[in-house]
Amino acid sequence: MRSAMRPAKPTRRLPPKKPSGTSQKEPVGVYCRVRPLSPPDQECCIEVINETTVQLHPPDGCKTNRNGEYKATQYSFKEVFGTQVTQKELFDIVSRPLVEDLIRGKNGLLFTYGVTGSGKTHTMTGSPGDGGLLPRSLSMIFNSIGDFQAKRYVFKLDEKNGMDVQNEVDALLERQKREVQPQVVHRTPLSRQRMDPEFADMINIQEHCKVEDVDEDSVYSVFVSYIEIYNNYIYDLLEEVPLDPIKPKWNTPGKNAEFIPPQSRILREDLNHNMYVAGCTEVEVKSTEEAFDVFWKGQKRRRIANTQLNRESSRSHSVFMIKLAQAPLDADGDHVLQEREQITLSQLSLVDLAGSERTNRTRAEGNRLREAGNINQSLMTLRTCIEVLRENQLCGTNKMVPYRDSKLTHLFKNYFDGEGKVRMIVCVNPKADDYEESLQVMRFAEMTQEVEVARPVDKPICGLTPGRRYRNQAFKEELTRRLEDRGGPLNGGDAEDQAVVEILIQSFPPLPSCELLDANDDQSLPKLIEVLEKRCRIRQMMAEEFNKNVCSFRAMLQDLNGVVTAKENIAQGRMTEKDKVIASQKSEIDRLDKKIKTLEYKIDILEKTTTIYEDEKRTIQQDLENHQQKLHRQLSDKRRLEGRLQGMMNENAMKWEKECERRVAAKQLEMQNKLWVKDEKLKQLKAIVTEPKGDKPERPPREKDREPRVPVRSVSPAPTAPPVHPRHRRSHSAGTERWVDHKPPSSVETDTVMQPHVPNSIKVNVASEKALAKCHKYMLTHQQLASDGEIETKLIKGDVYKTRGGGQSVQFTDIETLRQQSPPSGGRKRRSSPSNQPPQEETTDADWTDVETRCSVAVEMRAGSNLGPGYEHHVVSKRRRP
C-alpha cells in the first residue's frame, strides 16, 4: 500500500522480494529421455521398465561388484520417455506447463543434462520437420498473445534488468529513429525478409497450441537474448562485433584464423536480488519466425567441435532466455497504464548444457582438453550445489551453497532459491560404451529429485474492471456504424469538418492592411470597419442557416426516433416470442443437464471402480514382480549353493581318493614287510634246521649292546584327516618341493647321530608370508621335556596353500617325533668280538639252540632301515637261561 501512495517515477524500482515462510514447495521435476541406438544392433545397457522407471544393466566384460555377481540398478523419475517418443509428447508434458506459467507472470528454468552425444541439443532445438522444445515454446507463446501484443518500443528495457513503459508518441519516435539508422541489429522484422531455409521446417509446427484464459486486458511484448558460458566466461551470442578496418576479415569462428572473440560479460544483481548478464543484447520480437531467426543467428556463433564421440560436440553451455513483459490497459481500454509498478516481468530460460566427457575416450588435446576440463568443472559445481541444498533441506543444516564457484550456478541461483519452477531432462544413450558415464548421470538425477524449491507466487491484480478492451472495441465499432448510417464514417466526418471550416474562412473577405502611419489617417479604420461589418453579416447569415439546419436535423431526429420506437416495439414483440422459445429450450437444457449429471455420476462410479481395479492390478503386478524377484534370488542362491556343494563334494572326493590311495599303499607296504619278515624267518629256520649238529655257530656280537644311545623316531597321525602322500624318508623332503624349515631360536642341539635334514629348504626363525609364498611345504621344530627327563623333538609338517585373498595358509598333515632312549641294562656283560677272543669249544646248550631267539636277532630292525618311514620294529632278545 505504501508503494501505491507514491507518485509514479520512471527510475523507481520494485522493493526486493522476500521469500514467504509459509510458501509451498515442490521438488525439482526430473524427466528421462532415452535416445535410440545408432546403429540399432549395438549392445544396449538401458531398459525402460515402465513410464517412471529405467534399469541399467552392466554390459558384457564389465567388472563385477564385491559379491561376484552382476548388479542391475533401477532409477525412478517423474516420467520416462522411451526411444519412440515424439517431440510433441515431450513438449506437452515438460515444457507446456512452463510456458503457461510464463504467460501468467511466473519464471521457469528448463535444462538438458547428460553425457556427450546423448541427444541434448536435438531435444532442445529439434531437427528439420520436427521442432524441439525451443521452437514449440516460441510458437505457443505467440499463438497465445498474438492479438494482445503491444507495438514496438512501447516497453523499453533499461540497463539494470528493469522495464519502462513509453507513451505512443515516444514509441512512434523510437520506431522512426530505429528505421532510419543504417546499422541496427535485428531492425527489420522477419516478415519483410525471406525466411532462412535452414530452420524453415523447424518452426513449421502444425499443432497450434495456445494458453487458455490469457488476460485480455493486458498488452504483451517478448524479448529474447542468447548467451553461452565458455571456459567459465559469459559471451553474448547476439552481439555484433565490428570488423577491424585494417584487417577486413570475416569474423566467423572456425573459418577465420584471426577470429576476434567477443567481449565477455559479467553477472550483476538487481534491486530484486535477481541475477542478470550486464550489457547483454535483448531483442524485441513479434513472431515465432523472428524469434527463431534471432536464435539461429546466435546458434551459428556457438562453439562446437569434432571429438571422437560426437561429430558436433557443444563446447559451451548455451542459455536462451525468453522475457515476457505485460502491463494492464487503462480504465478506457485504449492505452497502457504508465505506471511502472503495474509491469509484470517473467522469464523462461532454456539451457542446453554441454555434455560431460572423459578425456581418455575423446582423446582431447590442447583447446579441446581445456574445454572439457572447464565443462566437467562447471557440472561438478552444479552437482555440489544440489548436494548442499539437499543436505540443508533433509538435515536442517545451514551450509553455504557454493553458487559463485561457477558462472552457470551463479546465474540460476534465484531459481533454486524459489523464483520459479525448475525442470531437468536427463538424456541418456543406451549404448554399452557409455555405461559408466550414464551411471553417474542417473545418480545425480536421482539426487536432484530430492531438492525442493518454493513455488512462485501469483501476480497481483491491478483492480481495474475486467473486459474493458473488448467493451471499448465494441463501442467504437457501434459508433462508427451509426455515423456511417447517418452520413459517413467517423474519420471522413472529421476531414469534411476541417474542409468546411477552411472554405468558410476563405469565403470571408480578406482583412485590409491595418498599418496606421499617421494619427490623421481616416481611410484605414473605415475600411477595416466595413470589412468587419461584412463578416458580421455573413456570420449572421450562417447562424440563421445553421439554426434552420438544426431545426431540420431535430425534426429528422424526431422522425427517426419515432421509427426507432416502432422498430423497438416490433423487436420487443419478437423478443417476447424468442423468450418463450428460450424458456422452452432452457427447460430442455435443464432436463439434459440432469441427465448429464446422472451419467456423470455413473461415470464417476465407473471411474472409481476402474481406479480400484487398476490399483488392485498394480498391487498384484507389484506382488508378482516381488515374487518373481524372490524366486529369481532363490534360484540364484540355489545355483550358488549347488555350485558350492558340488565344489565341496569334488574336494571331499579328491581327499578321500587320496586317503584311500595312501591307506592302500600303506597296507600294501605293511603286507610286503610282513611277507618279507616271514620269508626271512623261514630262511633262518631252514638254515638252522639244515645245518649239521656238530657245528654250533658262535653268537655274533650284539651291535645294540655296543651302542650307548639310539634315537628312536615315531610318527603319529595329524589331528586332521587330509590326504597324506606316502613318503619313505625321515624328513619327508626327498621330493622337489621347497620347504620352510621353521626352527625357533630357543631350540637345543641334541648332538645325536641321526638329525633331521631337509636339503631344499629355507631356514627361518619366525614364519613369514614372504617365505611361505616361495615354498610348498612347511616344517615346525618343537622341543619339550619328556617324562624320562630326555628331550623330545617333534617335527610338525604341513602343506602350503594359496588363499583367494592372495595370502597363504598351512594345512598340517603329520607329526614326526624324535626321542632318545638308553639300551636296556642286563645282568650279563657284553660279549667281546669273536675276532679278538679265541673260539670257545664248550658252550651251554641254551646259547644258540633257542630258535626263537636266533630268529628274533636275525630280523631285528633299526630306525631308518629300508622298511620305510613310520614302520617300527623293536625287539629285545631273550636272555639266556641260567
Side-chain angles (χ1 to χ4, degrees):
M1 296 299 293
R2 185 179 301 175
S3 61
M5 298 291 292
R6 296 178 180 175
K9 295 182 181 180
T11 58
R12 190 165 64 85
R13 291 195 171 273
L14 293 173
K17 297 180 182 179
K18 297 181 179 179
S20 175
T22 60
S23 61
Q24 298 180 352
K25 291 186 176 182
E26 61 179 1
V28 176
V30 181
Y31 304 84
C32 179
R33 184 179 190 183
V34 183
R35 66 163 292 176
L37 279 174
S38 178
D41 56 350
Q42 282 186 342
E43 183 183 0
C44 180
C45 66
I46 297 178
E47 178 186 359
V48 179
I49 303 299
N50 52 37
E51 59 183 7
T52 59
T53 307
V54 295
Q55 184 171 2
L56 266 71
H57 302 281
D60 296 339
C62 183
K63 294 182 179 180
T64 58
N65 55 1
R66 292 184 179 179
N67 59 4
E69 298 178 356
Y70 290 108
K71 183 178 181 182
T73 54
Q74 292 186 358
Y75 297 93
S76 299
F77 299 93
K78 193 170 184 179
E79 189 150 350
V80 175
F81 302 97
T83 57
Q84 303 298 327
V85 70
T86 62
Q87 297 278 35
K88 182 181 182 302
E89 295 174 354
L90 183 66
F91 169 77
D92 290 339
I93 295 176
V94 180
S95 296
R96 184 165 186 161
L98 296 178
V99 176
E100 293 176 352
D101 288 346
L102 176 72
I103 295 178
R104 292 186 176 93
K106 301 177 183 179
N107 298 329
L109 171 63
L110 172 63
F111 60 96
T112 56
Y113 181 83
V115 300
T116 180
S118 58
K120 301 182 297 299
T121 304
H122 172 75
T123 300
M124 190 63 68
T125 307
S127 58
D130 191 13
L133 301 182
L134 191 147
R136 291 178 183 272
S137 299
L138 292 173
S139 177
M140 183 175 180
I141 291 172
F142 287 104
N143 289 339
S144 303
I145 66 170
D147 299 333
F148 312 125
Q149 291 192 70
K151 295 181 179 180
R152 288 183 185 271
Y153 309 117
V154 171
F155 291 96
K156 184 178 181 181
L157 294 164
D158 59 11
E159 297 179 355
K160 298 181 180 179
N161 202 30
M163 187 74 67
D164 292 325
V165 179
Q166 297 187 126
N167 54 35
E168 294 185 358
V169 177
D170 294 338
L172 178 61
L173 293 175
E174 185 74 18
R175 287 194 294 272
Q176 294 175 353
K177 178 181 177 182
R178 296 296 181 94
E179 287 177 0
V180 299
Q181 288 181 356
Q183 295 179 355
V184 178
V185 182
H186 310 289
R187 177 175 55 84
T188 305
L190 190 65
S191 58
R192 303 178 186 176
Q193 301 176 355
R194 185 178 178 183
M195 191 180 302
D196 194 340
E198 292 183 358
F199 64 85
D201 294 337
M202 292 186 184
I203 60 177
N204 187 15
I205 300 172
Q206 301 297 330
E207 303 88 3
H208 296 284
C209 56
K210 59 186 298 185
V211 179
E212 303 295 337
D213 302 331
V214 179
D215 188 6
E216 60 188 21
D217 296 321
S218 299
V219 291
Y220 302 86
S221 187
V222 179
F223 297 83
V224 296
S225 58
Y226 197 18
I227 65 171
E228 71 170 352
I229 302 175
Y230 175 73
N231 288 339
N232 207 24
Y233 288 97
I234 299 176
Y235 296 99
D236 185 4
L237 294 177
L238 304 181
E239 179 185 9
E240 292 290 343
V241 179
L243 296 178
D244 190 353
I246 300 178
K247 298 179 180 179
K249 303 283 186 179
W250 289 102
N251 198 20
T252 305
K255 297 182 180 180
N256 178 21
E258 300 180 4
F259 169 66
I260 304 173
Q263 184 67 30
S264 63
R265 304 298 180 182
I266 61 175
L267 291 176
R268 293 190 183 276
E269 188 176 23
D270 60 8
L271 294 179
N272 296 331
H273 302 288
N274 295 324
M275 304 306 301
Y276 69 97
V277 181
C280 179
T281 303
E282 295 183 273
V283 183
E284 185 177 6
V285 292
K286 295 298 179 182
S287 64
T288 305
E289 294 80 6
E290 186 179 356
F292 201 80
D293 178 64
V294 174
F295 165 76
W296 199 253
K297 289 181 180 179
Q299 186 74 2
K300 291 180 179 179
R301 299 173 183 172
R302 188 182 176 188
R303 292 171 173 85
I304 59 175
N306 184 10
T307 63
Q308 294 288 335
L309 301 181
N310 193 356
R311 186 169 58 87
E312 294 182 357
S313 176
S314 302
R315 313 310 297 169
S316 63
H317 309 301
S318 66
V319 183
F320 187 75
M321 291 177 284
I322 305 172
K323 186 178 292 185
L324 180 66
Q326 50 183 312
L329 297 173
D330 56 7
D332 296 332
D334 286 333
H335 307 288
V336 184
L337 282 178
Q338 301 295 314
E339 297 181 6
R340 191 172 184 181
E341 292 80 3
Q342 298 295 336
I343 300 175
T344 302
L345 280 178
S346 56
Q347 180 172 306
L348 174 61
S349 299
L350 303 176
V351 185
D352 181 13
L353 296 177
S356 60
E357 58 186 35
R358 293 189 177 183
T359 55
N360 58 352
R361 293 186 60 198
T362 58
R363 302 292 190 271
E365 295 179 354
N367 291 333
R368 300 291 85 80
L369 182 61
R370 184 169 64 255
E371 292 166 356
N374 287 305
I375 290 171
N376 294 335
Q377 181 63 34
S378 60
L379 296 178
M380 184 60 67
T381 304
L382 175 63
R383 180 167 186 168
T384 303
C385 294
I386 295 295
E387 288 178 351
V388 175
L389 282 172
R390 173 175 169 270
E391 183 179 356
N392 289 341
Q393 294 176 2
L394 295 180
C395 303
T397 58
N398 193 18
K399 293 184 179 180
M400 184 184 70
V401 183
Y403 290 121
R404 294 180 178 270
D405 291 351
S406 173
K407 293 291 194 304
L408 178 66
T409 55
H410 194 194
L411 178 61
F412 297 115
K413 80 178 190 68
N414 306 103
Y415 291 96
F416 293 102
D417 290 341
E419 289 296 331
K421 286 186 178 180
V422 181
R423 297 289 182 266
M424 181 175 73
I425 300 177
V426 177
C427 300
V428 292
N429 194 341
K431 66 179 182 179
D433 295 338
D434 291 345
Y435 170 73
E436 296 184 0
E437 291 86 347
S438 300
L439 191 63
Q440 299 298 327
V441 169
M442 291 293 184
R443 291 173 180 172
F444 169 70
E446 191 176 40
M447 178 185 61
T448 306
Q449 294 182 111
E450 300 179 4
V451 176
E452 295 182 348
V453 295
R455 291 183 179 178
V457 296
D458 296 331
K459 65 178 182 178
I461 301 175
C462 63
L464 298 176
T465 305
R468 53 191 180 276
R469 179 196 288 268
Y470 286 128
R471 282 200 302 272
N472 187 29
Q473 291 181 0
F475 173 74
K476 288 182 179 180
E477 292 174 358
E478 182 65 20
L479 180 60
T480 302
R481 186 183 64 79
R482 290 192 178 186
L483 289 175
E484 287 177 352
D485 293 341
R486 295 176 183 178
L490 182 63
N491 295 332
D494 294 340
E496 291 178 0
D497 291 342
Q498 293 179 1
V500 169
V501 172
E502 291 179 357
I503 292 172
L504 289 176
I505 292 175
Q506 292 177 2
S507 65
F508 288 160
L511 294 176
S513 178
C514 297
E515 294 182 2
L516 297 178
L517 303 177
D518 191 2
N520 298 323
D521 188 2
D522 55 354
Q523 296 180 358
S524 298
L525 289 177
K527 290 180 179 180
L528 180 61
I529 293 171
E530 184 180 359
V531 171
L532 292 176
E533 287 177 353
K534 288 181 179 181
R535 289 197 171 203
C536 288
R537 286 193 298 271
I538 293 172
R539 182 176 179 277
Q540 187 176 2
M541 292 172 59
M542 292 175 64
E544 292 175 357
E545 183 69 22
F546 179 74
N547 290 331
K548 289 180 182 180
N549 292 332
V550 167
C551 291
S552 62
F553 183 71
R554 185 175 297 166
M556 184 178 64
L557 286 177
Q558 290 176 356
D559 295 339
L560 182 62
N561 191 15
V563 173
V564 170
T565 303
K567 290 183 178 180
E568 286 180 354
N569 293 332
I570 296 172
Q572 188 68 29
R574 293 179 180 177
M575 288 289 292
T576 304
E577 295 177 358
K578 296 293 183 182
D579 289 340
K580 293 180 180 179
V581 175
I582 290 172
S584 62
Q585 291 179 353
K586 282 184 177 180
S587 61
E588 182 68 18
I589 289 172
D590 293 337
R591 187 183 65 79
L592 294 176
D593 287 339
K594 292 180 181 179
K595 188 175 181 180
I596 288 171
K597 289 181 180 179
T598 304
L599 294 176
E600 287 180 350
Y601 178 72
K602 292 181 179 180
I603 290 172
D604 292 338
I605 294 175
L606 293 176
E607 286 180 352
K608 292 179 180 179
T609 307
T610 305
T611 304
I612 293 172
Y613 286 150
E614 287 180 353
D615 293 339
E616 292 180 355
K617 180 182 176 181
R618 283 195 295 269
T619 304
I620 294 172
Q621 287 180 350
Q622 186 67 27
D623 294 339
L624 181 60
E625 291 177 358
N626 294 335
H627 286 301
Q628 288 179 352
Q629 293 177 0
K630 186 176 179 180
L631 289 175
H632 182 68
R633 289 195 299 268
Q634 291 179 355
L635 182 60
S636 62
D637 294 341
K638 182 179 179 181
R639 291 177 180 174
R640 194 162 54 248
L641 185 59
E642 288 178 354
R644 291 179 181 175
L645 291 176
Q646 187 67 28
M648 293 175 63
M649 290 175 60
N650 294 335
E651 185 178 357
N652 290 332
M654 291 177 64
K655 288 182 179 179
W656 282 109
E657 184 178 355
K658 292 180 181 179
E659 180 66 19
C660 291
E661 291 178 356
R662 185 187 67 79
R663 292 184 180 181
V664 168
K667 196 68 175 178
Q668 290 178 354
L669 183 61
E670 183 180 356
M671 297 299 295
Q672 289 178 0
N673 292 336
K674 287 182 178 180
L675 290 174
W676 184 82
V677 170
K678 289 182 179 180
D679 292 339
E680 289 295 327
K681 285 184 178 181
L682 289 175
K683 289 179 182 179
Q684 294 291 335
L685 183 61
K686 184 178 180 181
I688 293 172
V689 171
T690 56
E691 67 180 355
K693 297 182 178 179
D695 299 333
K696 294 183 178 179
E698 186 180 0
R699 181 180 178 180
R702 293 174 61 110
E703 297 292 337
K704 187 175 181 180
D705 296 337
R706 291 185 298 184
E707 294 180 3
R709 308 180 94 183
V710 178
V712 179
R713 181 185 300 266
S714 64
V715 179
S716 61
T720 58
V724 179
H725 298 285
R727 295 183 179 89
H728 305 285
R729 294 182 64 88
R730 181 190 316 162
S731 60
H732 290 207
S733 59
T736 59
E737 295 91 350
R738 297 196 66 183
W739 286 72
V740 177
D741 189 0
H742 182 189
K743 183 175 292 184
S746 59
S747 300
V748 179
E749 296 294 336
T750 56
D751 295 332
T752 57
V753 176
M754 303 180 68
Q755 293 289 334
H757 177 65
V758 183
N760 192 13
S761 64
I762 299 175
K763 299 183 182 295
V764 295
N765 295 328
V766 178
S768 63
E769 184 178 357
K770 183 176 180 182
L772 291 174
K774 297 180 181 180
C775 300
H776 303 85
K777 301 291 183 177
Y778 173 82
M779 182 175 70
L780 173 64
T781 303
H782 174 68
Q783 291 182 341
Q784 64 183 5
L785 193 63
S787 59
D788 56 356
E790 297 293 341
I791 295 177
E792 182 181 87
T793 303
K794 290 186 178 181
L795 303 180
I796 305 172
K797 302 179 182 181
D799 297 333
V800 179
Y801 296 97
K802 291 185 179 181
T803 62
R804 292 184 179 180
Q808 289 78 28
S809 64
V810 178
Q811 184 175 5
F812 294 101
T813 57
D814 60 357
I815 300 175
E816 192 171 349
T817 304
L818 305 178
R819 61 180 180 272
Q820 297 180 359
Q821 294 181 354
S822 299
S825 58
R828 58 182 178 83
K829 296 181 181 180
R830 294 179 182 269
R831 296 176 63 89
S832 60
S833 176
S835 59
N836 297 330
Q837 295 181 359
Q840 296 180 359
E841 295 180 356
E842 295 181 359
T843 57
T844 60
D845 295 330
D847 285 341
W848 292 100
T849 58
D850 191 350
V851 177
E852 183 180 356
T853 301
R854 296 182 64 182
C855 291
S856 299
V857 172
V859 298
E860 183 178 4
M861 299 297 158
R862 299 289 183 229
S865 65
N866 56 1
L867 292 181
Y871 183 84
E872 295 183 5
H873 189 78
H874 302 284
V875 179
V876 180
S877 60
K878 293 185 176 181
R879 295 182 180 178
R880 289 184 301 173
R881 296 175 183 176

